[in-house]
Amino acid sequence: MELAERVKILSAGAKYDVSCSSSGSDRKNTGNMIGDTAACGICHSFTEDGRCISLLKILMSNDCVFDCQYCVNRRSNDIQRASISPQELCELTMGFYRRNYIEGLFLSSAVFVNPDHTMEILLQTVKTLREVCLFNGYIHLKAIPHADPALIDQASRYVDRMSVNIELPSEQGLKKLAPSKTKESILKPMKQLSDIYLNGQELANHKNLLGVGGNVLISDPVGKPKQKPNHPISAGQTTQLIIGATPDADGTILKLSQALYRLYRLKRVYYSAYMPVGNSKLLPSAPANTKRENRLYQADWLIRFYGFDVDEFISPEVNLNYDLDPKTDWALRNMDKFPIEINNAPYEVLLRVPGIGIKNAWRIVRARKSGRLGLEDLKRMKVVLKRAINFITIDGKFFGIRNYNQLNNYMLQEPNQQLSIFDDQKLSIVTGEF
């Protein structure tokens, strides 16, 4: 099979991993335009400072010996199989990189032959890219469950980020749909990657204190420069959960995510709404609701940036309210905690007000040092007042809706609007602030 055909198959097989997203556009050049687009292959990801970068997203092989029911590459699925050699993949990556098509590589693989063999090939590829091709772009590499820890350790030295996909939120789901994997085969490499990341950070910070260098400048979410250490998997680790393939409730999923953030210092947990890719009788016939995926991402932000504990806003056996964002839903169920006075509420309390995001909470705290704030000050800060006004007082005055039922209906009926990249209030929704 020609290389182009294999690349088409392998990049299509990688599109179900949502650690980064593809544009999905497929358009041929009509002769008077510049360039083509392809539905697969090059995808986009976002750095910590908000930049969008292009990655070559591809599998080493889709010829899997595992038979996970939810996976398009599973052994029993009747699809065209293909593989690419480390040398071919390195040449492809360098060709794209030199032409400025991509800024990095997202490399995963089905488990071919066995987990150790697959991890060896992945290691050989990233090692060749770094040491022979002198590739200095971004690399995100998948760690293979059941692979020898020594291979994962070696691979971590050549890449910026690694990930081990949990896929299913419960051990029962793994036994039913992915019997070749075990809870231990996933959590063990996660723990290993967490240790590698933390040890690297500690070493890099020590070198920084001694003035040895090796660090690069980045910006934090509020625009203040800080040092980011350069060490193995300096961009940390991530994982992916498939939503809707098993009966696991949102509360169970979020409880697991919180534990992963706390125990293994994950940078991100990605949620992928289940899509049928076969005719397995063990799986739902319809795709999962994508609104559920969106609400899970919003709840994830509450855990990571807003100081919420999962137990505060959802029970393990319960799903989120898909008609309201999780923060508004929590506030409406806890009206005894509101209204709060905008001129003296602590930062942590401001974060819990619907319509006040991370940046505006900081702006309010800073502005209060210069004097008391009024309604016009909040408008200038572009606080989303149509929500926030119902949960705050300004110098003791309340301007919102007092009747709970009316307020609940108002929040439910808040119209959806087209987002604009040039509108700060809408942009805060894109970046996860709400």
Side-chain angles (χ1 to χ4, degrees), residues 43-264:
C43 64
H44 300 106
S45 186
F46 293 88
T47 62
E48 287 186 74
D49 57 356
R51 289 178 299 114
C52 178
I53 58 174
S54 301
L55 305 177
L56 171 61
K57 185 176 181 180
I58 193 168
L59 302 175
M60 287 297 310
S61 173
N62 69 345
D63 192 5
C64 196
V65 297
F66 287 0
D67 201 29
C68 305
Q69 295 298 300
Y70 52 82
C71 182
V72 69
N73 300 312
R74 67 184 182 278
R75 185 181 64 234
S76 60
N77 203 19
D78 184 17
I79 60 170
Q80 198 169 16
R81 304 291 177 176
S83 298
I84 190 169
S85 71
Q87 187 60 36
E88 287 174 322
L89 186 55
C90 289
E91 290 175 0
L92 186 71
T93 303
M94 293 307 296
F96 282 179
Y97 193 59
R98 288 194 176 102
R99 290 175 176 84
N100 208 26
Y101 294 168
I102 60 170
E103 293 168 79
L105 172 67
F106 180 95
L107 181 59
S108 182
S109 182
V111 181
F112 55 102
V113 183
N114 59 54
D116 281 349
H117 177 76
T118 307
M119 200 66 226
E120 284 175 357
I121 297 298
L122 292 174
L123 169 60
Q124 182 184 345
T125 304
V126 296
K127 185 176 181 180
T128 303
L129 271 172
R130 291 293 196 219
E131 295 187 347
V132 179
C133 303
L134 303 179
F135 176 68
N136 200 35
Y138 175 87
I139 299 180
H140 180 162
L141 182 70
K142 288 288 175 184
I144 304 298
H146 294 291
D148 188 329
L151 295 171
I152 294 175
D153 181 71
Q154 289 181 60
S156 73
R157 301 170 192 274
Y158 297 100
V159 302
D160 302 274
R161 169 167 285 181
M162 292 188 76
S163 51
V164 189
N165 282 351
I166 290 184
E167 308 288 21
L168 301 173
S170 66
E171 195 169 5
Q172 293 83 356
L174 272 178
K175 288 179 180 175
K176 179 182 176 183
L177 300 176
S180 301
K181 297 179 181 176
T182 62
K183 179 181 173 183
E184 290 70 27
S185 71
I186 296 168
L187 295 184
K188 189 176 177 181
M190 267 189 180
K191 173 67 168 59
Q192 182 185 1
L193 292 176
S194 174
D195 291 343
I196 291 171
Y197 174 73
L198 291 176
N199 290 338
Q201 268 201 326
E202 187 177 343
L203 182 61
N205 290 337
H206 180 67
K207 286 182 178 178
N208 193 36
L209 286 173
L210 296 176
V212 178
N215 290 346
V216 293
L217 275 174
I218 62 168
S219 295
D220 69 8
V222 294
K224 296 177 180 178
K226 62 179 183 181
Q227 293 289 328
K228 181 179 180 181
N230 182 18
H231 56 75
I233 57 167
S234 57
Q237 64 169 320
T238 61
T239 192
Q240 170 181 269
L241 288 169
I242 298 174
I243 307 307
T246 58
D248 299 298
D250 294 342
T252 301
I253 293 166
L254 291 167
K255 193 78 176 174
L256 172 62
S257 297
Q258 180 173 268
L260 294 174
Y261 286 128
R262 291 180 178 177
L263 292 175
Y264 302 126

Side-chain angles (χ1 to χ4, degrees), residues 19-34:
S19 294
C20 45
S21 57
S22 170
S23 64
S25 176
D26 194 356
R27 184 177 57 252
K28 290 293 180 185
N29 195 324
T30 57
N32 57 356
M33 304 293 287
I34 300 174

Side-chain angles (χ1 to χ4, degrees), residues 280-326:
S280 172
K281 295 180 180 178
L282 299 175
L283 290 164
S285 57
N289 184 353
T290 52
K291 183 179 275 189
R292 182 183 181 189
E293 182 184 275
N294 180 42
R295 294 302 186 207
L296 281 168
Y297 275 115
Q298 291 179 323
D300 188 280
W301 272 71
L302 293 187
I303 299 169
R304 291 193 294 146
F305 300 113
Y306 285 78
F308 279 85
D309 188 281
V310 169
D311 293 334
E312 287 185 82
F313 64 89
I314 191 168
S315 302
E317 67 281 3
V318 174
N319 283 329
L320 294 165
N321 181 349
Y322 302 143
D323 293 325
L324 291 167
D325 72 74

